[in-house]
Amino acid sequence: KFFSNEDISDKLPMIFEGWSREPADTVVQHWPYTFPVLRPLGNSSTERYQPIVLQPGLVYLNTMESVASAMEGSVIAARNAALLLHNKALMS
């Protein structure tokens, strides 16, 4: 499975050895806005990203969404948020 902002079906023979130019099982689906162009946002000119900790006990997991958008990133963000809150609870 490949995801791209453009049709890459003509590039598949370069990626996979022995790939037919017209494989019957290749499906190209165009979904507009699947990969939006997002730019990092900050609260001031000195910040490059939105804050992760919004207030004590409230963590914003999607702050990195404008930098890297993927399910794996969300899983890592959730794990890090849980560890952050756990460590804060242990310190207080």
Side-chain angles (χ1 to χ4, degrees):
K1 195 183 266 190
F2 282 90
F3 298 98
S4 174
N5 283 333
E6 60 187 57
D7 183 2
I8 61 167
S9 56
D10 61 329
K11 297 177 180 143
L12 293 177
M14 293 182 287
I15 299 170
F16 297 105
E17 188 175 320
W19 189 271
S20 168
R21 286 269 173 209
E22 295 294 327
D25 59 351
T26 299
V27 176
V28 176
Q29 175 67 49
H30 175 69
W31 291 325
Y33 312 112
T34 302
F35 298 101
V37 176
L38 301 171
R39 290 173 177 59
L41 302 172
N43 292 337
S44 69
S45 60
T46 59
E47 289 185 12
R48 291 186 55 195
Y49 309 108
Q50 296 170 340
I52 294 172
V53 179
L54 299 179
Q55 65 183 28
L58 181 60
V59 180
Y60 180 53
L61 299 181
N62 289 336
T63 190
M64 298 301 288
E65 184 78 19
S66 61
V67 178
S69 177
M71 185 185 305
E72 296 84 355
S74 296
V75 169
I76 293 169
R79 177 183 175 267
N80 289 343
L83 287 171
L84 178 68
L85 294 172
H86 174 73
N87 290 336
K88 290 271 188 192
L90 289 178
M91 293 173 68
S92 54

